[in-house]
Amino acid sequence: MKHDQKYYQKLKATLQEWNHEYYVLDAPSVSDREYDRVYQELVALETAHPEWIESDSPSRRVGGEVLQGFEKVKRKHRMYSLDNTYDETDLREFDQRIQKVTEMEDLEYVVEPKVDGLSIEVQYNMGLFHLAATRGDGQSGENVTANVATIRSLPLKLQGKNIPDQLTLRGEVYLHRDDLALINEERQAQSLELFKNPRNAAAGSLRLLDSKLTASRPLRVVFYAFVETEGYQTHQQCLKQIKAWGLPSHGEVQVAQNISSLISIIEHKQKDLRQLPFDVDGLVIKVNELSLQKQLGYTSKYPRWAIAYKFETENAVTYVEDIVLQVGRTGVVTPVAVLTPVELAGTTVSRASLHNQDEIAKKDIRIGDQVVIEKAGEIIPQILRVITDLRKKNLSVFSFPKACPSCGEPLSQTPGEVAVRCTNYYGCRAQIQERLRYFCSRKAMNIEHIGPSLIEQLVCELGVRSPADLFLLKEEDLLSLPRMAEKSASNVLGSIESAKQNAQLFSLITAIGIPFVGETAARIVAKKIHSLEYFLKHDVVFWKKDLEELHGVGEKMMTSLIAYFSDPRHLTMIENFKSVGLWPVVENLSNTQDTLGGKSFCVTGTLSLPRDQIKNQILDHGGKWVSTVSKKLDYLVCNQESSSSSKFIKAEKLGIEIISEQMLQSMIGGSS
Ligand code: AMP
Ligand code: ZN
């Protein structure tokens, strides 16, 4: 390894360039593997020479120490909100007001998407990323510099000309809908509350005290303005400048020559915006001339030279027929509203999660109420609000039950937590059933023939308590159940046996449902421990230390792992797994490692193996699994019949390499 500082600077500049290509231009020129190799080299140099590290090093992206809280940042220029409207008449009035003040007839307007995320102010000093703060109350916000530094599309160093000594930019931090879906999938596996929409997820991720956790969320940022604009004539010029500095900006913005062209642009845009991969809640319309902006100035809340033209989100009105409680596998009790079925954005909605008792109290939702429901980010239906004007007089305030609806034990609440739990681990039927259901589910052990109704029978009639009990079931046990034919009994036993034979350590770790430990973390843990013997053989002190450095396992997961395996009930379960022969072991991995070298694969159509199996093969051999085709994809895997699939067509258009299943297998095998 060369150890001079010049070389280090060169590595850094190269990585910065690659980052820009990948995250801002969406056109990488090197593979992920190449990137990782150079990145590792940079980190090695930084370890040897910590004195070389500057604030623009790509290594800052991974996050750092955990903060106690966010500092307040007072800003020089206030961040305003935007006035908004939902209809054309208001827009014409907005134009009229501006015409009057400026004494101009045809005003030029810039039309930009209003990305639905979280506003952010970012400062660069001498071209280097220096500070990021939330909007807060406008005058002062929270210092989220460490978290914003983890956003890959944010350059830590600006490029190009005209960089002022101090540059203050305004932008929006947001998430793509697909990325949110992945985060929520993982959260569901960890029985965490799901994010309602990309905006909530972005806001939640930006306000985490542990920036390492923020780094794991695929946040994005886009900039729409900077503060000191001397020397620029129009807003459009400013936007071009933002782009030229290498900052993420809105692709193309449109400029309308007057109000009628503005209105026709809006009509067109509205449709296009729904196709974007992220949520947009409207358009922002801004006066283009900066001198006119200055002349117009601000009200106490808004600029007079801009307005948000918002789109209606789809919602519907229905009744709350009941509020029921669901007990999850970790004992967390979630209230759910049972609704009179209603059509909303193409589906029938009959239930909506109420999240927790605070949410019910805050919105004052009562049984019998009429409510407005909404599909936030087109994901989960939500109760937006109660129509209190239409409330019947005698509806009583909902009082949250004190006892578990399943076992009747008193519910408990950890101070500082909103969640209410049933702590009756062995005795609560709902918890036992939920644990079993999760254990058997597709993303866990995938025991096909055991569905929810059979689980209920197994628990109630045959006394099954722990997942390990499933492996002790005999044919005569099953046949003693009502409506159980010989054929189905043998199917059930067959699928249990095959789950046992084919079990992989990571899926077993996923299946036992440790809070915060989803499939990805389970894979990492499995590779490290090789067998669950690890937790039986060593004590907490040992593995706490041993697992500490596990890359990719955050502190929260670690704490959860420790709590889980420190619990004697769980160790007993592991011993039971062992005695029934459910004992997957990770063999020496040397021959299965990394033949796919970090390349990304997407599959279309049916292949000879089930998708999950292909996915596992790819992941086990160091490849990445992605579900959509984008420029960043390395290979699309398909058979001949798939040439008309939309993924195929898109991949062809983007010039992505399309390979057959055999080619994938030979890549996995290491030959080519
Ligand atoms: P509101 O929070 O509804 O008052 O709207 C103002 C916020 O919209 C700003 O603080 C920005 O965070 C956000 N926003 C999103 N896109 C834009 C844009 N293109 N121009 C200005 N503000 C935007
Ligand atoms: Zn209970």
Side-chain angles (χ1 to χ4, degrees), residues 7-226:
Y7 178 70
Y8 167 76
Q9 295 293 357
K10 210 173 125 196
L11 285 184
K12 195 169 75 178
T14 308
L15 287 168
Q16 279 161 352
E17 176 64 31
W18 288 349
N19 250 322
H20 183 243
E21 286 172 0
Y22 191 104
Y23 291 105
V24 181
L25 306 178
D26 208 6
S29 63
V30 293
S31 68
D32 289 5
R33 190 176 211 183
E34 180 66 6
Y35 182 95
D36 290 342
R37 193 187 60 73
V38 176
Y39 179 77
Q40 291 311 332
E41 204 177 341
L42 176 104
V43 171
L45 280 177
E46 289 185 347
T47 317
H49 299 276
E51 73 280 7
W52 292 353
I53 307 176
E54 286 170 58
S55 63
D56 63 339
S57 166
S59 62
R60 283 191 70 189
R61 305 280 193 196
V62 297
E65 62 191 300
V66 179
L67 303 176
Q68 293 302 312
F70 295 108
E71 261 173 60
K72 269 212 159 164
V73 181
K74 233 182 130 53
R75 55 172 60 88
K76 214 153 84 194
H77 302 276
R78 178 172 159 186
M79 276 177 98
Y80 286 85
S81 174
L82 279 174
D83 195 4
N84 62 56
T85 163
Y86 288 89
D87 66 44
E88 209 184 288
T89 328
D90 283 356
L91 211 55
R92 290 188 185 274
E93 276 172 22
F94 165 78
D95 177 62
Q96 287 294 323
R97 284 198 300 273
I98 294 177
Q99 288 200 25
K100 217 160 128 195
V101 179
T102 59
E103 296 175 346
M104 304 245 316
E105 261 178 25
D106 283 334
L107 285 138
E108 253 182 35
Y109 294 107
V110 178
V111 186
E112 297 166 13
K114 187 172 191 296
V115 178
D116 199 9
L118 189 79
S119 13
I120 193 86
E121 180 172 275
V122 169
Q123 268 180 34
Y124 285 82
N125 280 0
M126 311 308 286
L128 291 179
F129 172 63
H130 171 66
L131 180 103
T134 62
R135 182 165 76 183
D137 65 2
Q139 293 290 7
S140 56
E142 288 178 324
N143 185 335
V144 287
T145 308
N147 287 344
V148 170
T150 68
I151 302 177
R152 302 299 204 265
S153 59
L154 180 103
L156 296 174
K157 187 181 183 178
L158 298 178
Q159 61 186 43
K161 293 184 289 229
N162 309 325
I163 301 172
D165 293 353
Q166 270 215 356
L167 174 67
T168 304
L169 293 143
R170 300 279 165 80
E172 194 84 1
V173 171
Y174 67 106
L175 268 173
H176 277 191
R177 278 190 294 268
D178 280 2
D179 289 334
L180 173 65
L182 288 179
I183 294 176
N184 270 344
E185 218 172 87
E186 186 90 339
R187 287 178 77 83
Q188 187 152 37
Q190 299 165 15
S191 32
L192 292 172
E193 197 179 297
L194 303 189
F195 287 119
K196 292 177 204 158
N197 54 41
R199 185 190 51 238
N200 279 323
S205 307
L206 204 59
R207 299 196 69 263
L208 290 166
L209 291 168
D210 182 354
S211 51
K212 286 211 178 79
L213 219 55
T214 309
S216 71
R217 305 263 170 90
L219 291 174
R220 295 168 197 256
V221 64
V222 61
F223 292 101
Y224 53 76
F226 53 95

Side-chain angles (χ1 to χ4, degrees), residues 167-406:
L167 174 67
T168 304
L169 293 143
R170 300 279 165 80
E172 194 84 1
V173 171
Y174 67 106
L175 268 173
H176 277 191
R177 278 190 294 268
D178 280 2
D179 289 334
L180 173 65
L182 288 179
I183 294 176
N184 270 344
E185 218 172 87
E186 186 90 339
R187 287 178 77 83
Q188 187 152 37
Q190 299 165 15
S191 32
L192 292 172
E193 197 179 297
L194 303 189
F195 287 119
K196 292 177 204 158
N197 54 41
R199 185 190 51 238
N200 279 323
S205 307
L206 204 59
R207 299 196 69 263
L208 290 166
L209 291 168
D210 182 354
S211 51
K212 286 211 178 79
L213 219 55
T214 309
S216 71
R217 305 263 170 90
L219 291 174
R220 295 168 197 256
V221 64
V222 61
F223 292 101
Y224 53 76
F226 53 95
V227 173
E228 272 147 20
T229 52
E230 284 73 39
Y232 298 85
Q233 271 78 53
T234 63
H235 178 60
Q236 202 184 6
Q237 282 175 356
C238 296
L239 292 176
K240 284 201 178 125
Q241 180 63 74
I242 289 175
K243 195 168 177 188
W245 283 324
L247 291 156
S249 59
H250 286 301
E252 20 120 31
V253 291
Q254 267 172 300
V255 181
Q257 304 308 319
N258 52 41
I259 180 75
S260 36
S261 105
L262 175 68
I263 284 166
S264 85
I265 288 178
I266 287 177
E267 275 168 11
H268 272 94
K269 276 259 167 187
Q270 199 153 346
K271 279 190 227 94
D272 297 350
L273 292 175
R274 301 226 186 272
Q275 311 297 322
L276 292 173
F278 49 88
D279 278 0
V280 164
D281 60 346
L283 292 165
V284 185
I285 290 134
K286 296 174 180 169
V287 170
N288 194 17
E289 283 295 328
L290 296 177
S291 61
L292 295 180
Q293 285 191 4
K294 205 159 174 196
Q295 187 188 351
L296 287 157
Y298 295 82
T299 70
S300 63
K301 277 188 179 155
Y302 319 117
R304 287 202 187 84
W305 43 266
I307 195 163
Y309 184 81
K310 291 207 178 175
F311 309 143
E312 298 278 3
T313 49
E314 286 193 62
N315 54 36
V317 173
T318 187
Y319 286 93
V320 176
E321 293 184 352
D322 199 2
I323 295 177
V324 296
L325 300 189
Q326 273 178 357
V327 185
R329 61 174 211 270
T330 57
V332 172
V333 172
T334 309
V336 176
V338 179
L339 306 168
T340 309
V342 64
E343 284 295 309
L344 177 61
T347 55
T348 308
V349 175
S350 55
R351 287 166 93 82
S353 171
L354 297 170
H355 306 288
N356 53 55
Q357 55 181 345
D358 289 6
E359 177 89 358
I360 301 179
K362 201 170 72 201
K363 293 185 175 162
D364 186 18
I365 298 166
R366 307 181 189 186
I367 297 171
D369 265 334
Q370 266 197 73
V371 289
V372 180
I373 59 166
E374 167 187 67
K375 265 203 181 163
E378 292 171 30
I379 306 177
I380 316 158
Q382 290 294 125
I383 293 187
L384 204 59
R385 63 189 168 84
V386 173
I387 309 179
T388 35
D389 290 347
L390 298 179
R391 176 177 277 163
K392 294 196 200 85
K393 275 201 205 82
N394 53 0
L395 299 188
S396 44
V397 175
F398 181 74
S399 71
F400 206 89
K402 300 271 176 283
C404 172
S406 173

Side-chain angles (χ1 to χ4, degrees), residues 482-498:
R483 293 186 312 279
M484 175 66 74
E486 248 168 59
K487 175 95 181 96
S488 358
S490 89
N491 281 343
V492 170
L493 290 174
S495 67
I496 294 175
E497 185 57 26
S498 108

